Amino acid sequence: MSKSIWLDDLKKENYKELDKDLELDVLIIGGGITGISCAYSLLDSGLKTALVEANLIGEGVTSRTTGKITYLQENVYSKIKKYVGLSASRLYFKSQKEAIKTISNIIKKEDIACDFIKCSSYVFTNSSKISDLRDEKKLLESFGAKVYEDISLPDGSNNKYNIYVDDTYVFHPLKYLYSLKKIISKKIDIYENSRILKISKCDNYYMCMTDRYTIKAKKIVLASHYPYFIFPFFMIGKVWLEKSYVSALKVDNFLDFSAINVDRNVMSLRYHKSGDDIYKIYLYESHNIFNKIYKNISDNSLYSWTNMDIMTGDHLPFIGEVSKNFFLATGYNTWGMTNGVIAGSIIRDLLLGRDNLYKELFDPRRSINLGKILNYFKALSSNVLAYVTTMITNKNKYCKLEKIDGKHVYTYNKHRVYARCPHLGCFLVLNKIDNTWDCPCHGSRFSIDGRCIDGPSNYNIRYRK
């Protein structure tokens, strides 16, 4: 089934489209883990707030996660120490622990049923990176974490070396999100299928336009996956995309652990209970040029989908103010559940004029560091190479490419769409796993009939005669 397991058999309430002009203190754009977390944190702020989502709440990137809540994130702390420094690495560790505590407290306070289960988190290697993991273990222990080592995982599989911690969790991300959505909607207006097409700065406020209505807001929180409306922030030199397969296979036994490796071909796994059924959720083959990874997934997979993450050069997210009263949260480096939650707390404090411990660490305008310098050309070349690759390989056996009235058009089955992404003109790729048209340059996604699902594009690609 070409569908995320989190979207199956969910009871959800849809919210109305924007049907009038609004005047607000704060407008949150995006209804994933970041936008919902930010809205929840503002419930008692006294600020007149609304949230708009271009499609349906939670059905973007949050629905494609593996649902891990962990601070053991490959060997990220060693990388941050190398590129930014020891104090930054320690502070990032503190932020992830705080995010986990925040999620746990919210679930307990609001009595949210979201399959929240404590489990051990493992990082393993089958290559020559044993010394890297040993260094990571020592670093984490210096931060106060209890880290253990072994050569086997709880499922019996042996590796060259594992490290693990036992105070992390997994959950059902959309059950959590939908529960928060109901709570938030009692005080904050939520609008679905309401896409912001243009933002203009006017004196001390912003004018945000949909196709029919205007929202006047003093402050903007851009909580979409790939940020837009932030020229000249130059995202193509700061981030690149990483694409992965995800499968959910039915198994006999539930094991309370999650794992990820640090080898070249990333593999990640966890287990999930759904009624009487047990699934092993398995992510694999992550890399940053994704038009080549679309192939058939094993027939043993009851669910299969693709996942996309935004990677930053110094392994730290961008969370904070990018221009006066305009706030951004993105670049979670595959760890969106914890970073999306901590983003809500950080942005709340910035909106209210409070100090925040992580403000400088995650500041989108932070100063140049080694990681940003070393990975600048990686980010830039990845974007350029994705564009060039699609120019060369835009023809494939699944769809017909032709030029009609000067425009490139794809025909697939009975669907006819414009072949170039409206954002910056990259040729789109047919993703037969998710049955979507995807942009390999900046991650825009479109339904098979051409409806825009994810930005930075804001426009549909349906062919019009």
Side-chain angles (χ1 to χ4, degrees):
M1 182 186 301
S2 296
K3 182 179 183 179
S4 166
I5 192 171
W6 312 127
L7 290 169
D8 204 21
D9 295 329
L10 265 181
K11 295 180 180 179
K12 58 183 180 179
E13 296 179 7
N14 291 338
Y15 290 77
K16 65 181 180 180
E17 295 182 30
L18 184 67
D19 57 359
K20 59 184 177 182
D21 294 338
L22 299 176
E23 189 167 341
L24 305 168
D25 293 317
V26 180
L27 173 65
I28 300 170
I29 302 173
I33 187 71
T34 301
I36 292 294
S37 296
C38 187
Y40 180 81
S41 71
L42 291 173
L43 280 179
D44 298 319
S45 67
L47 296 174
K48 187 177 181 182
T49 303
L51 184 150
V52 296
E53 162 58 40
N55 295 293
L56 298 178
I57 298 294
E59 294 197 8
V61 176
T62 302
S63 70
R64 299 196 290 272
T65 180
T66 55
K68 295 181 182 179
I69 308 171
T70 179
Y71 62 89
L72 191 62
Q73 303 171 359
E74 301 168 80
N75 59 335
V76 68
Y77 301 103
S78 298
K79 292 176 180 177
I80 295 172
K81 177 186 174 184
K82 175 182 176 181
Y83 291 144
V84 191
L86 178 61
S87 60
S89 183
R90 182 183 292 108
L91 197 56
Y92 180 72
F93 168 79
K94 187 177 179 66
S95 76
Q96 302 307 288
K97 292 282 285 186
E98 183 176 320
I100 294 170
K101 185 177 181 180
T102 297
I103 294 170
S104 179
N105 288 343
I106 290 173
I107 290 171
K108 184 177 180 179
K109 175 185 176 183
E110 306 293 355
D111 193 23
I112 296 174
C114 59
D115 307 324
F116 184 62
I117 298 173
K118 188 175 183 179
C119 68
S120 299
S121 290
Y122 285 72
V123 177
F124 65 94
T125 182
N126 281 303
S127 69
S128 59
K129 294 190 175 183
I130 294 175
S131 61
D132 291 348
L133 281 189
R134 284 182 173 148
D135 289 343
E136 188 78 352
K137 179 177 183 290
K138 291 178 183 177
L139 188 58
L140 282 163
E141 287 173 335
S142 74
F143 298 158
K146 293 182 179 180
V147 189
Y148 309 93
E149 60 185 357
D150 205 339
I151 59 169
S152 63
L153 297 178
D155 62 5
S157 59
N158 289 324
N159 304 296
K160 287 188 175 180
Y161 185 68
N162 305 324
I163 63 172
Y164 69 96
V165 298
D166 59 9
D167 53 347
T168 59
Y169 300 85
V170 292
F171 74 158
H172 191 304
L174 292 194
K175 285 183 179 179
Y176 174 78
L177 211 66
Y178 290 165
S179 295
L180 284 189
K181 180 176 68 170
K182 290 180 182 179
I183 296 165
I184 291 164
S185 65
K186 296 175 183 178
K187 292 186 177 181
I188 291 176
D189 289 332
I190 296 175
Y191 300 95
E192 295 182 317
N193 295 308
S194 302
R195 185 178 297 274
I196 301 298
L197 300 176
K198 183 180 179 181
I199 299 178
S200 301
K201 184 73 168 67
C202 304
D203 298 325
N204 294 321
Y205 60 89
Y206 291 90
M207 296 299 292
C208 307
M209 280 74 79
T210 68
D211 57 347
R212 290 186 293 171
Y213 300 102
T214 300
I215 302 173
K216 181 179 178 181
K218 295 176 183 177
K219 299 180 180 183
I220 301 291
V221 177
L222 187 56
S224 60
H225 187 230
Y226 194 102
Y228 49 103
F229 301 128
I230 54 170
F231 182 83
F233 190 58
F234 195 54
M235 287 300 298
I236 63 172
K238 298 178 186 292
V239 303
W240 65 92
L241 302 176
E242 183 174 284
K243 200 80 173 182
S244 308
Y245 290 119
V246 190
S247 294
L249 299 84
K250 190 175 287 189
V251 294
D252 294 330
N253 298 311
F254 178 85
L255 299 176
D256 56 350
F257 84 100
S258 67
I260 191 168
N261 68 351
V262 290
D263 300 330
R264 186 175 184 86
N265 292 321
V266 176
M267 294 180 289
S268 171
L269 65 95
R270 61 156 291 193
Y271 289 79
H272 170 62
K273 291 180 181 178
S274 178
D276 295 329
D277 296 325
I278 300 171
Y279 296 91
K280 180 180 180 180
I281 298 173
Y282 189 65
L283 178 149
Y284 56 105
E285 289 197 33
S286 298
H287 49 81
N288 63 331
I289 301 175
F290 68 77
N291 61 309
K292 67 181 181 182
I293 75 168
Y294 292 137
K295 56 188 180 184
N296 292 328
I297 287 180
S298 168
D299 291 336
N300 294 326
S301 302
L302 292 183
Y303 300 89
S304 59
W305 65 98
T306 62
N307 184 51
M308 183 178 68
D309 292 289
I310 296 178
M311 316 298 288
T312 66
D314 57 8
H315 302 278
L316 292 168
F318 294 130
I319 303 170
E321 193 172 28
V322 286
S323 59
K324 187 173 177 57
N325 293 326
F326 198 114
F327 301 85
L328 167 72
T330 190
Y332 295 156
N333 297 288
T334 78
W335 302 104
M337 297 300 96
T338 49
N339 282 306
V341 169
I342 204 67
S345 300
I346 294 169
I347 291 175
R348 172 204 61 208
D349 288 346
L350 297 179
L351 288 169
L352 296 176
R354 301 175 183 169
D355 191 24
N356 186 281
L357 182 61
Y358 313 111
K359 175 183 175 180
E360 293 183 4
L361 180 69
F362 295 141
D363 191 341
R365 301 169 296 182
R366 58 185 174 265
S367 59
I368 296 295
N369 55 55
L370 180 62
K372 292 173 75 173
I373 293 171
L374 292 179
N375 287 299
Y376 169 79
F377 290 104
K378 179 177 181 179
L380 188 61
S381 63
S382 176
N383 283 275
V384 172
L385 187 57
Y387 180 85
V388 172
T389 301
T390 64
M391 294 298 171
I392 298 171
T393 62
N394 52 59
K395 296 181 180 179
N396 62 70
K397 63 182 179 181
Y398 299 116
C399 56
K400 177 183 178 183
L401 175 66
E402 56 189 324
K403 208 165 187 178
I404 303 175
D405 297 328
K407 300 284 187 180
H408 288 94
V409 176
Y410 283 136
T411 301
Y412 173 66
N413 292 339
K414 297 181 180 180
H415 303 291
R416 182 170 280 186
V417 300
Y418 292 108
R420 289 177 178 264
C421 179
H423 178 226
L424 290 178
C426 291
F427 272 94
L428 300 169
V429 176
L430 177 61
N431 175 350
K432 285 183 66 61
I433 297 170
D434 295 324
N435 211 30
T436 57
W437 301 97
D438 295 357
C439 175
C441 297
H442 308 108
S444 297
R445 306 185 82 190
F446 307 85
S447 66
I448 203 66
D449 63 354
R451 179 176 57 86
C452 185
I453 300 172
D454 288 331
S457 174
N458 276 317
Y459 299 97
N460 298 329
I461 57 166
R462 295 189 185 100
Y463 172 71
R464 305 293 185 187
K465 291 183 179 180

